[in-house]
Structures are given as C-alpha cells and as structure tokens.
Amino acid sequence: MWSCASSSASTHSTDRLSASDDMDRARPSKEGAQTDAASDVAASAPPGQARAIVEAHNRYRAQHCADPLRWSAELASVAQAWADQLRDRGCAFGHSQSSEYGENLFFAAPSSPTSGVAAVDTWYAEHQRYRFSSPGFSMRTGHFTQVVWRGTRELGCGTAQCNGGDIWVCNYSPPGNMIDAYRQNVLPTSCR
C-alpha cells in the first residue's frame, strides 16, 4: 500500500463513486455536542463506498472534536478526474497540482470493495506519529492531519483500478495542512 498527502489500463464506468447525492452535515445538539455522524449520514448518503468513506472520516474526526464532513459531488468529480489521469498515465502515483483543495492519495493491491475505507484507516493510523505538543506538517502524518482538520467541511473521492489494485484520490475543502494553523485544527482526542 502507498499513501501520499497534499494541500495543494482498467475499466472506466465501474470505477466511479456515485456523486449524485449530497450528504447533510451532522448538526450540533442543543447541548452543543455533535450528533452521531453515522445516523445523520444515513438519511441522504450516496450508495456504496462513498457513504462508507464519509462515515470512516467522520468517526475519526469526532474523536478529535472536528465537525462531520459532507460529501461533495464537485470534489468527487475533481478527484475522479485525477484518479483517471493517474491510471491513464500507467498507474503513476503523484499529486495533482491543484492548490484549491487538500488531497490524500492511496494505492492498495489487490483491488478490494473495501479499499476506500482501508485508505481512511491507513491515513488515520499516522496519528500515532503526530506530536500534538509540537504541531505542524510532516510527510509522515500529513494524511492524518488532513482527515481530522477542523476547518475542512467537505470531502469527495474518486478511484480507478490499475495493475490489479485501486488508486484512491480524496479531495478536501477547505484544504487542511495550512502553516501556522495546526494547533487550532488538529486536536488530540482530549480536544484540548
């Protein structure tokens, strides 16, 4: 498995995630606490892996006091276009040059119907190396920090099959991993 984070020959139709429906962001309860992200997502989630990917993100974000993400069809379209380009370039693995969105990449082989959630789980596992006492960017933790970045509100992902595996691209808006903004956007599980 390969993974890469940034702020800045296969089938075509079966690789795409459904991006036709939007997910509603979970709303705070009267007490100000977050409502259960999975139950709020369930009402209007797109089918398949998109829903599972958003739920995985939101499960981890809740542990760090970050509001739930909402699925964005626009971000999913951008992510899908980049996943297709990576596949079409012979499975090249690299970031798009867009600085408009945050971006996490992942490759897993063999191809699997759960590889999207595996990507999120792998990105989050980097939290073990993150130094909350000295917050900032690291190539070893950049996926994790983007997943839980409190200022991010929307997520969209795309995937393409290549060489028997899955390339995943997830885009985030607003992007995370912004210099001098880690302390307020990447909280430990104590939320302090």
Side-chain angles (χ1 to χ4, degrees):
M1 289 184 271
W2 302 334
S3 205
C4 193
S6 171
S7 290
S8 55
S10 67
T11 60
H12 290 263
S13 61
T14 59
D15 293 343
R16 301 189 195 297
L17 294 178
S18 172
S20 59
D21 297 322
D22 284 341
M23 293 186 175
D24 292 325
R25 187 181 321 165
R27 292 166 299 284
S29 68
K30 289 181 182 177
E31 294 80 30
Q34 292 178 16
T35 57
D36 180 69
S39 64
D40 284 348
V41 167
S44 62
Q49 289 201 53
R51 175 181 174 169
I53 289 167
V54 172
E55 289 174 346
H57 273 84
N58 288 340
R59 182 174 58 251
Y60 291 131
R61 290 174 63 81
Q63 293 177 37
H64 297 270
C65 299
D67 289 338
L69 296 177
R70 134 176 219 257
W71 184 260
S72 164
E74 178 182 343
L75 292 176
S77 178
V78 171
Q80 185 61 56
W82 186 244
D84 289 344
Q85 283 189 40
L86 294 175
R87 178 205 53 228
D88 294 345
R89 293 178 182 175
C91 303
F93 194 73
H95 283 286
S96 66
Q97 298 305 308
S98 172
S99 60
E100 188 174 354
Y101 307 119
E103 183 175 79
N104 279 349
L105 303 177
F106 181 81
F107 179 81
S111 182
S112 164
T114 59
S115 64
V117 171
V120 181
D121 293 342
T122 300
W123 296 331
Y124 182 76
E126 294 175 354
H127 80 280
Q128 297 171 359
R129 292 181 285 218
Y130 188 73
R131 293 178 44 204
F132 292 96
S133 62
S134 181
F137 181 77
S138 164
M139 291 297 288
R140 297 178 51 161
T141 60
H143 303 98
F144 157 69
T145 54
Q146 177 59 82
V147 167
V148 302
W149 194 266
R150 293 181 76 205
T152 297
R153 299 289 176 242
E154 295 183 314
L155 162 73
C157 302
T159 186
Q161 291 183 346
C162 194
N163 291 340
D166 298 320
I167 295 173
W168 281 94
V169 177
C170 287
N171 286 338
Y172 303 84
S173 181
N177 292 336
M178 300 305 219
I179 295 173
D180 295 330
Y182 284 83
R183 190 169 305 281
Q184 62 269 33
N185 281 287
V186 182
L187 301 181
T189 55
S190 67
C191 298
R192 295 182 192 146

